[in-house]
Amino acid sequence: GAGVSQSPSNKVTEKGKDVELRCDPISGHTALYWYRQSLGQGLEFLIYFQGNSAPDKSGLPSDRFSAERTGGSVSTLTIQRTQQEDSAVYLCASSLFGGRRETQYFGPGTRLLVL
Amino acid sequence: TQLLEQSPQFLSIQEGENLTVYCNSSSVFSSLQWYRQEPGEGPVLLVTVVTGGEVKKLKRLTFQFGDARKDSSLHITAAQPGDTGLYLCAGEENDYKLSFGAGTTVTVRA
């Protein structure tokens, strides 16, 4: 079956521009997560969606970052006025319910480079 | 966010040798997961350990969770080139939030 897909796979942008990153979770998975992976660092939690509950946005690094999940499926992570320190791999994951000890299935990531 | 430290940062060994990767924290986790990530791909879950002192084996991989549930190790016996990758540990902070270590890059030379 299809796994988690992300688009674009690579994105190069200029400082100050806005970018949108897309995630298509596994069909039927109600939980969706966004992470950021910078060079030499582990995955940094950004945001969590579960069904119709209010998202956990506690990991978003600044108000330039926002995310939506429409219809309980596709999610978009938006970074406004990009900065060079935003350069990283942005990973999306999904899981069945978002509960304890569930397996999170990761997409291949979007590699963002801000010039 | 609870911090997880992984060591070593890099490990390069010859095919057939053994290796151990460590994951340490000052915090207690309800469970700990190990992932492997290959270039251009997302992490893939290898194992979840839950009970202090637990040992899990997956073929040539042995995972151990410390008695106090603050540390873990991954041991690979007779490493093969296919074991090459970034190994990440992640501690479960709550029902859904994982705290990841920075990872150990393992290279197995043929």
Side-chain angles (χ1 to χ4, degrees):
Chain A
V4 177
S5 61
Q6 294 186 244
S7 61
S9 53
N10 294 280
K11 177 71 177 179
V12 181
T13 190
E14 294 179 348
K15 177 181 171 182
K17 295 284 179 72
D18 298 352
V19 294
E20 282 190 356
L21 313 180
R22 176 187 168 106
C23 172
D24 279 276
I26 293 173
S27 178
H29 280 193
T30 63
L32 187 147
Y33 317 73
W34 282 98
Y35 294 89
R36 179 169 69 176
Q37 186 174 29
S38 302
L39 198 61
Q41 297 184 24
L43 277 68
E44 174 190 6
F45 168 82
L46 297 178
I47 189 168
Y48 165 77
F49 295 92
Q50 205 292 325
N52 296 321
S53 303
D56 177 354
K57 303 180 181 181
S58 61
L60 295 178
S62 77
D63 58 9
R64 297 186 295 105
F65 288 72
S66 63
E68 289 184 343
R69 189 178 185 194
T70 52
S73 181
V74 171
S75 178
T76 302
L77 176 69
T78 301
I79 309 174
Q80 295 178 310
R81 304 180 303 281
T82 52
Q83 304 293 312
Q84 288 180 333
E85 60 262 29
D86 299 334
S87 297
V89 177
Y90 289 83
L91 290 160
C92 173
S94 71
S95 69
L96 199 53
F97 300 117
R100 191 174 286 274
R101 293 165 203 159
E102 264 197 353
T103 299
Q104 294 185 23
Y105 296 87
F106 284 84
T110 293
R111 279 142 198 83
L112 175 65
L113 177 62
V114 182
L115 301 176
Chain B
T1 300
Q2 297 159 305
L3 289 176
L4 280 164
E5 294 186 0
Q6 289 191 241
S7 62
Q9 188 176 358
F10 299 97
L11 195 54
S12 180
I13 60 170
Q14 200 69 34
E15 181 177 5
E17 293 181 340
N18 302 332
L19 68 96
T20 302
V21 174
Y22 300 93
C23 175
N24 296 294
S25 175
S26 57
S27 302
V28 175
F29 291 100
S30 60
S31 70
L32 197 138
Q33 299 180 338
W34 283 93
Y35 292 80
R36 182 170 69 211
Q37 184 178 21
E38 299 188 24
E41 298 181 9
V44 175
L45 180 67
L46 296 174
V47 78
T48 301
V49 285
V50 175
T51 308
E54 181 177 3
V55 177
K56 276 193 174 178
K57 292 191 176 183
L58 262 90
K59 298 182 181 178
R60 294 177 294 99
L61 277 61
T62 301
F63 304 85
Q64 188 162 7
F65 201 12
D67 291 341
R69 303 205 317 271
K70 293 182 179 181
D71 55 85
S72 181
S73 64
L74 157 60
H75 182 79
I76 301 179
T77 304
Q80 299 176 358
D83 296 325
T84 292
L86 175 67
Y87 288 82
L88 295 157
C89 66
E92 189 172 44
E93 291 191 30
N94 60 23
D95 281 352
Y96 55 84
K97 191 177 290 187
L98 296 176
S99 177
F100 281 83
T104 295
T105 300
V106 172
T107 304
V108 182
R109 305 184 304 274

